[in-house]
Amino acid sequence: MIHKPVLLQEVIKYLNPQKNENFIDATFGLGGHSFEILKYIKPEGKILALEWDPFLVEIIKPQIMAQKNIILKNENFKRIKKIAKEENFTNVKGVIFDLGISNWHYQKSNRGFSFKKNEYLDMRINPYEIKLTAFDIINYFSKEELTDIFLKYGEEKKSKLIAEEIVKRRKNKKIETSSELAEITAEVKGKRKSKIHPATQVFMALRNFINQELENLEIGLEEAYEILIRGGRIAVISFNGLEDKVIKKVFKKLKNKRGLIITKNVVRPKLEEIQNNPSARSAKLRVIEKNDK
Ligand SMILES: C[S@@+](CC[C@H](N)C(=O)[O-])C[C@H]1O[C@@H](n2cnc3c(N)ncnc32)[C@H](O)[C@@H]1O
């Protein structure tokens, strides 16, 4: 399996899908969470599945075509309310957001998402909607702009030094690939003190900035809450502190709309899951319930 769904049983426990209920999977990926939810909501329950990556949608479409219970749309979850309306998708009992990108993106997309690969620096989740690539940013943005992106979108402490080195190197030759960028970052940061690869934050910052992931998340969560039925829930799995900050901010706001935070303490994967799937190690699940109508 290319992508193992994270915190799967925990998501099922909190969303509690039952026969003939409707759910939205805001980040379909390869459908790991949807296919599990589907087992509980058959025969009449439906899943509205959103996936922003047009290439991934092409790959999974044939599998979905045989499923009358899944409606797959190549869409951004920041438009979740409009899409649900257009599809006449009502009685939404729950929404799952499993943030970021999937292992398929790191392993197969060939778009430079991984610092372990030597690929062209693209990093756009939807290349039809987004024009700016990581290559453009790394080779044409000013030192100050780079510093700002690495800091704001990746919380990289050595942002300024990395930006300075990038600007120096690109004078001789354009920085074209993920491995070139990873090498430069690793050189600036020096010997590793932790298990985390030194380029993690820079790559996260670029991906975040290019795809406007935090902005989309804020809009998507607020809109998802609006379309839930009373007693419906949103489950969000995040993978970094910046995402988690946005979730906490939106949940706080939703508390004023009688949102009930179900996960008083954030839910983390069990040790066994992390051992079977190291990508789960930084995952955090938060759940809110709607009680306002
Ligand atoms: C972590 S993966 C989801 C994996 C999925 N739950 C599974 O088990 O296969 C996140 C997915 O969300 C997609 N995505 C990222 N931002 C999105 C957005 N704003 N709207 C819709 N999909 C998005 C990514 O392309 C990726 O496929």
Side-chain angles (χ1 to χ4, degrees), residues 147-239:
T147 305
D148 201 45
I149 290 172
F150 298 155
L151 196 63
K152 190 169 160 206
Y153 291 87
E155 297 185 310
E156 171 53 67
K157 291 195 183 75
K158 296 202 173 164
S159 293
K160 192 161 172 240
L161 289 176
I162 297 166
E164 275 169 3
E165 190 61 24
I166 288 170
V167 171
K168 197 170 105 193
R169 299 265 190 117
R170 74 190 187 191
K171 282 187 185 138
N172 304 324
K173 180 198 158 298
K174 297 251 180 298
I175 299 159
E176 288 176 67
T177 67
S178 43
S179 50
E180 283 174 74
L181 180 61
E183 264 169 48
I184 295 170
T185 311
E187 264 180 54
V188 174
K189 290 183 77 173
K191 253 195 161 12
R192 273 201 224 187
K193 287 194 195 86
S194 74
K195 279 189 203 152
I196 298 168
H197 189 284
T200 303
Q201 285 97 334
V202 163
F203 274 64
M204 180 174 98
L206 288 167
R207 211 193 74 205
N208 243 329
F209 177 75
I210 291 169
N211 299 293
Q212 297 285 290
E213 292 181 32
L214 302 173
E215 294 79 357
N216 294 340
L217 177 60
E218 186 162 349
I219 301 169
L221 284 177
E222 290 196 27
E223 288 205 355
Y225 189 79
E226 286 182 39
I227 57 180
L228 282 179
I229 55 168
R230 185 177 184 185
R233 290 181 173 185
I234 301 175
V236 199
I237 303 172
S238 65
F239 292 86

Side-chain angles (χ1 to χ4, degrees), residues 7 236-239 241 244 266-269 280 282-286:
L7 287 164
V236 199
I237 303 172
S238 65
F239 292 86
D244 201 38
V266 73
V267 178
R268 310 288 306 253
S282 52
K284 286 181 178 172
L285 172 68
R286 294 186 189 273

Side-chain angles (χ1 to χ4, degrees), residues 3 5 26-33 50-53 56 75-77 98-102 105 125 216:
H3 184 91
T27 52
F28 188 72
L30 289 158
H33 289 95
L50 313 182
E51 171 51 57
W52 196 30
D53 188 320
L56 189 50
E75 276 285 1
N76 190 317
F77 60 59
D98 177 17
L99 300 175
I101 53 175
S102 78
H105 286 97
I125 295 177
N216 294 340

Side-chain angles (χ1 to χ4, degrees), residues 79-94:
R79 294 187 279 269
I80 193 167
K81 197 174 152 189
K82 183 168 164 274
I83 303 158
K85 198 167 174 221
E86 281 168 4
E87 293 298 318
N88 224 346
F89 197 84
T90 53
N91 284 326
V92 181
K93 164 80 183 306

